Amino acid sequence: MRSTAPIIILGIESSCDETAAAVLVDGVVRSNVVAGQAVHAQWGGVVPELASRAHQENIVPVVHQALQEAGIGKEDLSAIAFTQGPGLIGALLVGTCFARSMAQALDVPLVAVDHLRAHALAHFIVDTSARPVPVFPFLNLTVSGGHTQFVVVHSPLDMEVIGTTLDDAAGEAFDKGAKMLGLPYPGGPLVDKLAQLGDSSRHPLPLPTMPGLDMSFSGLKTAFLNLLQRGVTKDPDFKTKEQAHLCASLQHAIVQVLLKKTSTAVRQTGIKQVAISGGVSANSGLRTQLGALARAEGWELFAPPLAYCTDNGAMIAMAGHFLFKARHFAGLDVVPRARFV
Ligand code: KG4
Ligand code: ZN
């Protein structure tokens, strides 16, 4: 019997404000290191120039730590996978140049990964959680700070976007709403926490309506701003006193849109394997309510562990694993792409 060498992939992520690296051996995660960038909190959002500089500082120690924790030497790597885009161009440049140089120095293949496709493949990262994984073709709701889309995942390399936000992403609605409340960036996790203490029916928000599978969140942002302005006019301490209820209202409105559209997507496609990924898929309200909807409507929901929801290197290595198996390699002259369309 012929024994095949394991596929050992180093995945590098630098598309926004997380510098991350992970090592996967035959799809099994051996390390997953994420360095956040606290520098943005004081600015209320990601400052691209500061993000690039922080990546530059973090990338060597983060990759070093990922290899060390995995117990893998550089010379053992089968390939280096990196995020080619979409994302902030200066941030992507850091990861791309680093991956290109490392692949050249080690003389191993380089694999260019689409960040959004990687989010949809995060379900397949094998770890100790022994969770079920979706069967192809499945429907993936990718909800992050930059994107909100429904994707039919036909296979690891064949994906079709069937619905998207026409303006802001769901994560952006969380973050901007949080900023209006005076909460630091990124606001999504804080809104999630505070919403659990609030009552969403005290300050109801109008739900945006869009035809088909497309979505819009910018109107919701304006409605939330108007709600806050009306409240502050009557009571200057409105935002503080009502903070938890306001977070609950904001989260409720965003989640309701996603629930309604997911229902429509299941009906339209007939696909009953539904998965969520991206930073907003860490939201406790979304996870619980989508789970309940799945049971009520008779479809199955797959949600990755929280560590693979927000940006991480393991999902890049996972996508890299599939691309490596298909021998989809990038040239050493590969360049990052802020957008793919
Ligand atoms: O996938 P991700 O890490 O980066 C992008 O690709 O954009 O997503 C980041 C987004 C941010 O908007 C953040 O506020 C949001 O995910 N997020 C959450 C939660 N955790 C992260 N939003 C709501 N509830 C959460 N628990
Ligand atoms: Zn992401």
Side-chain angles (χ1 to χ4, degrees), residues 8 66 101 104 108 144 148 191 198-199 210 240-242 244 251 268 306 314 320 324-325 329 333:
I8 307 177
S101 312
Q104 186 164 28
V108 293
S144 72
T148 300
V191 171
D199 173 2
M210 292 295 292
T240 319
K241 285 185 189 157
E242 295 294 300
Q251 179 167 305
Q268 277 189 14
L306 298 187
F324 179 86
K325 287 218 295 194
F329 301 137
D333 57 351

Side-chain angles (χ1 to χ4, degrees), residues 40-45 174-175 178-179 181-191 243:
H40 306 291
Q42 60 185 301
W43 303 103
F174 269 108
D175 295 339
K179 189 175 175 183
L181 284 172
L183 297 171
Y185 177 87
L190 292 169
V191 171
Q243 193 183 52

Side-chain angles (χ1 to χ4, degrees), residues 85-282:
L88 301 170
I89 196 68
L92 291 165
L93 269 166
V94 177
T96 306
C97 288
F98 185 91
R100 274 169 43 160
S101 312
M102 193 167 172
Q104 186 164 28
L106 295 172
D107 196 23
V108 293
L110 187 60
V111 181
V113 171
D114 176 335
H115 181 91
L116 289 174
R117 286 173 169 244
H119 269 305
L121 294 171
H123 310 289
F124 301 99
I125 300 165
V126 182
D127 63 7
T128 50
S129 63
R131 63 197 189 277
V133 294
V135 173
F136 298 104
F138 67 91
L139 182 67
N140 198 79
L141 169 60
T142 312
V143 263
S144 72
H147 297 84
T148 300
Q149 48 181 227
F150 284 102
V151 186
V152 177
V153 186
H154 297 284
S155 76
L157 305 190
D158 182 11
M159 301 189 196
E160 183 191 351
V161 177
I162 58 168
T164 186
T165 177
L166 300 180
D167 40 56
D168 298 346
E172 205 174 332
F174 269 108
D175 295 339
K176 296 272 167 65
K179 189 175 175 183
M180 291 175 208
L181 284 172
L183 297 171
Y185 177 87
L190 292 169
V191 171
D192 187 353
K193 222 170 168 175
L194 288 163
Q196 291 169 33
L197 310 171
D199 173 2
S200 65
S201 64
R202 268 173 75 109
H203 304 291
L205 285 163
L207 296 186
T209 49
M210 292 295 292
L213 293 177
D214 286 335
M215 291 156 279
S216 161
F217 291 98
S218 73
L220 187 58
K221 215 171 51 184
T222 312
F224 192 61
L225 181 64
N226 291 339
L227 167 67
L228 298 187
Q229 281 172 343
R230 275 197 311 272
V232 171
T233 310
K234 286 187 201 140
D235 176 359
D237 296 327
F238 176 71
K239 287 199 237 178
T240 319
K241 285 185 189 157
E242 295 294 300
Q243 193 183 52
H245 302 307
L246 291 163
C247 286
S249 294
L250 179 66
Q251 179 167 305
H252 176 78
I254 297 168
V255 169
Q256 288 313 304
V257 172
L258 298 174
L259 292 181
K260 196 160 165 271
K261 292 291 175 175
T262 306
S263 246
T264 310
V266 171
R267 261 199 327 276
Q268 277 189 14
T269 59
I271 299 175
K272 289 179 181 288
Q273 299 267 300
V274 182
I276 49 171
S277 60
V280 178
S281 71

